[in-house]
Amino acid sequence: MKIVDGPFAGMDAELVSADGDTLTAQVTVFGRPTTVELHRDQVERPEDIPELWSSDLTKLREQVAARYDDLGYEEKFAFFLGRVDLPEEDPAQEWDAYTALCAEVDARMRQRRAAALRAFDQGIAALPAAREERRSRYSRLDAERAHRRRAAARSAAELRDYAVWRAANRPQGQRAAVARVERERAAVEERVERDWGFRLPGSIFRFRAFLLSLGPIEKRALDDLELVPYGIMDLFDDPARGARPGVDVRVHGRYYRDPPEFLTFMHGGTDGLHFGLWYDDGRTCTGVASYYNNDGGGVGLPSGTPLETVRNALEWGWRHVGDWDDEPADPPDPEVVERRHRLRLLRETLMTFETGDRDEHGEDYHNACGQPEHEDRIETLDGGGALADGDTVIERGRQRPWDDYDFCTALRKELTDPAARGARVAEARQRCAAGQPADALTLGRDLHWISAGDPERERQANELLTLAYRALGRDNLAAIAQAHHRHRDLPQVHVLEGT
């Protein structure tokens, strides 16, 4: 047998004995036989090990027998359940009737149990012998080839069926969508640059063209992924659309913890998941970030484009409706097949706009994706990192694609202490005035992220962010931070007119 988990993973082993789920095996280490103990889950295909089969079948047979005891009890108890609303005229006679019923039920259940166990012994219990016979006739290589052949047959059948399905559900062309985006682009760019100070990247217009090109089936596939264009995308149909009276339009789509650098363009459907374009310098988009506003985790390092984000979600969705490459099971439910067809069609449409050079699907796609690297970002509690020169008084490393648990835990504890926080804020304010804004930027982002409705933390975050952004020449980010501070208590983040 082959070990697949633990310190001996990848090694072949010879089974010595089995006791329940525990296996004693012998492996060769540095040329010498060594005895090791393994759990059944640590070996490949434990169901092929006869000793484990014998133990499993004994337990299963006992469970089959016990189920008939449960069934008999339920049938007996139903006798009195059917009488709870009847008058109690002769309880002793009722007991006699119940006793007679119990004898009849017990006799019937004995017969049914015996029949079930005979069927079990003739069918299920014969499987180990059948497996042994198969293993004696075919090698492990034969079995692997059979698995691959079955997977190839299923894949070919799915592609054949998909081609027929696609011909009946031909997607719309993208030419009209691209032409429309070209007509509306200038007005949207002007509006966003005027109010937010951001230059929209070309990737957001490809995202818009992709959305416009979708037919009903691809839209349903996007709905299956719970992805909905939102935030800045709401201005594309009407670039002149304003906010409700008394509300700054720059907070449209801006969630409570969104850093000022974050510009929402899509919602993810659960726990406040949303995606935003990221602007380190207040002008140029660096990539896409995302996080769950109602859950844990940070925004992560910005990377990729909106359509790469959709493709990433699509491949996760592909895995969740059956990634059949490794071990195809029985023929799937027709609804699963239909959903895979929809996702496949959505993928094809997306790849005409971006990621056309990425042919991997599902897990293979994600395994081929590298982690984003931004060595110039200073570590922050929100996980996005801050772009600024110079060192900070608080010892921070470079922002990595994951959170530094010890750093975050210690800093959160310090910043929830009013006295310690006040000292840090005063120090950051002084250093910013002296031409060193990195402390104000990073600490301001930290306090913004962990404000949690505390008015003092909200005020201190806004003060530091405003100072830092102005010192760095990012006046539009300072204005966004101030607008957000004024409206952080809004009950919803959709603030455009007509809502």
Side-chain angles (χ1 to χ4, degrees):
M1 59 188 182
K2 181 174 286 294
I3 303 173
V4 295
D5 184 50
F8 301 100
M11 299 180 67
D12 289 325
E14 182 178 346
L15 181 69
V16 176
S17 63
D19 181 11
D21 289 340
T22 301
L23 307 176
T24 301
Q26 199 168 72
V27 299
T28 300
V29 180
F30 299 123
R32 301 181 61 182
T34 303
T35 301
V36 297
E37 279 199 354
L38 304 167
H39 187 271
R40 62 177 295 152
D41 293 340
Q42 291 180 280
V43 300
E44 184 179 46
R45 304 187 67 80
E47 66 272 16
D48 284 345
I49 300 174
E51 289 83 353
L52 288 180
W53 257 102
S54 176
S55 174
D56 289 347
L57 289 174
T58 299
K59 295 176 184 177
L60 185 57
R61 195 178 193 278
E62 292 171 353
Q63 290 174 5
V64 170
R67 291 298 176 268
Y68 283 92
D69 292 334
D70 295 341
L71 185 61
Y73 172 81
E74 293 298 330
E75 190 170 336
K76 295 172 186 177
F77 192 63
F79 177 88
F80 284 105
L81 283 176
R83 286 166 171 73
V84 293
D85 293 327
L86 300 177
E88 298 182 14
E89 296 177 349
D90 191 344
Q93 186 181 20
E94 277 193 3
W95 180 254
D96 292 341
Y98 174 69
T99 301
L101 173 69
C102 287
E104 188 272 327
V105 169
D106 287 342
R108 184 155 28 87
M109 289 303 159
R110 280 195 296 271
Q111 293 178 349
R112 294 177 63 181
R113 183 191 300 110
L117 292 178
R118 280 196 303 273
F120 182 93
D121 292 338
Q122 293 168 4
I124 304 299
L127 280 176
R131 283 182 177 272
E132 280 300 299
E133 193 275 336
R134 189 192 75 193
R135 293 176 67 184
S136 68
R137 292 180 58 192
Y138 300 105
S139 67
R140 176 184 290 180
L141 178 60
D142 292 328
E144 292 174 352
R145 291 170 60 194
H147 283 301
R148 289 197 297 269
R149 181 160 182 164
R150 183 173 63 173
R154 186 172 193 173
S155 178
E158 185 190 16
L159 289 175
R160 176 203 62 201
D161 296 343
Y162 172 71
V164 174
W165 178 90
R166 188 182 186 279
N169 299 278
R170 193 175 302 279
Q172 300 179 13
Q174 60 172 276
R175 186 172 301 174
V178 172
R180 176 175 169 182
V181 170
E182 287 304 311
R183 291 194 301 270
E184 66 187 15
R185 178 169 181 163
V188 176
E189 285 179 324
E190 190 278 329
R191 174 68 191 281
V192 173
E193 185 154 7
R194 171 165 47 86
D195 284 352
W196 280 266
F198 294 145
R199 293 194 186 107
L200 288 177
S203 60
I204 199 70
F205 295 100
R206 288 192 295 276
F207 177 61
R208 168 68 169 173
F210 161 76
L211 295 173
L212 292 175
S213 72
L214 301 182
I217 293 175
E218 299 102 301
K219 288 179 180 177
R220 184 176 176 187
L222 199 64
D223 288 342
D224 289 341
L225 299 173
E226 298 186 312
L227 298 179
V228 180
Y230 185 54
I232 202 66
M233 303 307 298
D234 294 331
L235 290 177
F236 275 75
D237 287 326
D238 182 7
R241 191 177 179 189
R244 298 195 303 271
V247 181
D248 194 307
V249 73
R250 288 171 292 192
V251 301
H252 175 62
R254 183 161 294 280
Y255 289 68
Y256 180 80
R257 293 192 295 163
D258 284 2
E261 291 87 347
F262 191 103
L263 183 65
T264 300
F265 69 87
M266 185 168 66
H267 192 274
T270 179
D271 289 330
L273 174 61
H274 59 298
F275 305 84
L277 304 176
W278 188 271
Y279 288 86
D280 279 306
D281 62 3
R283 296 290 289 166
T284 307
C285 178
T286 311
V288 172
S290 64
Y291 75 99
Y292 294 85
N293 188 66
N294 306 334
D295 206 346
V299 300
L301 287 171
S303 65
T305 67
L307 283 179
E308 287 177 325
T309 301
V310 175
R311 177 75 189 274
N312 187 60
L314 188 155
E315 299 307 339
W316 278 112
W318 186 257
R319 295 179 64 179
H320 294 157
V321 292
D323 208 342
W324 300 340
D325 296 336
D326 295 329
E327 179 64 27
D330 293 332
D333 183 274
E335 172 52 33
V336 174
V337 173
E338 182 75 13
R339 186 169 181 182
R340 282 174 66 88
H341 285 350
R342 293 196 298 267
L343 284 177
R344 194 184 288 276
L345 184 61
L346 183 66
R347 180 194 289 124
E348 288 180 1
T349 303
L350 191 156
M351 290 175 69
T352 64
F353 289 92
E354 279 189 31
T355 72
D357 59 337
R358 299 290 307 276
D359 294 328
E360 308 93 346
H361 295 167
E363 187 173 6
D364 289 340
Y365 181 88
H366 293 291
N367 289 340
C369 293
Q371 291 280 11
E373 296 291 342
H374 293 287
E375 291 296 327
D376 53 349
R377 278 185 166 76
I378 303 174
E379 191 171 19
T380 55
L381 289 182
D382 58 31
L387 191 64
D389 294 330
D391 296 325
T392 58
V393 173
I394 296 175
E395 188 174 343
R396 302 172 185 264
R398 298 295 99 179
Q399 187 66 58
R400 295 176 293 179
W402 61 89
D403 291 334
D404 182 335
Y405 177 80
D406 292 337
F407 165 78
C408 291
T409 301
L411 186 55
R412 278 177 178 270
K413 183 177 180 181
E414 180 179 4
L415 296 184
T416 52
D417 179 334
R421 184 176 68 248
R424 290 294 192 189
V425 169
E427 186 175 41
R429 188 189 302 119
Q430 292 171 359
R431 285 174 62 84
C432 189
Q436 298 173 310
D439 292 271
L441 177 60
T442 51
L443 186 58
R445 286 268 299 279
D446 292 338
L447 292 174
H448 180 86
W449 186 251
I450 66 168
S451 290
D454 181 84
E456 184 62 12
R457 287 202 289 265
E458 291 179 351
R459 184 194 64 78
Q460 291 169 330
N462 179 61
E463 176 193 3
L464 292 179
L465 287 175
T466 301
L467 289 173
Y469 290 137
R470 286 178 175 165
L472 291 164
R474 305 170 190 172
D475 291 343
N476 61 323
L477 291 180
I480 291 171
Q482 290 179 321
H484 195 190
H485 179 65
R486 294 193 300 270
H487 297 300
R488 286 190 86 178
D489 59 350
L490 285 175
Q492 60 175 326
V493 297
H494 197 113
V495 304
L496 295 183
E497 291 176 318
T499 60

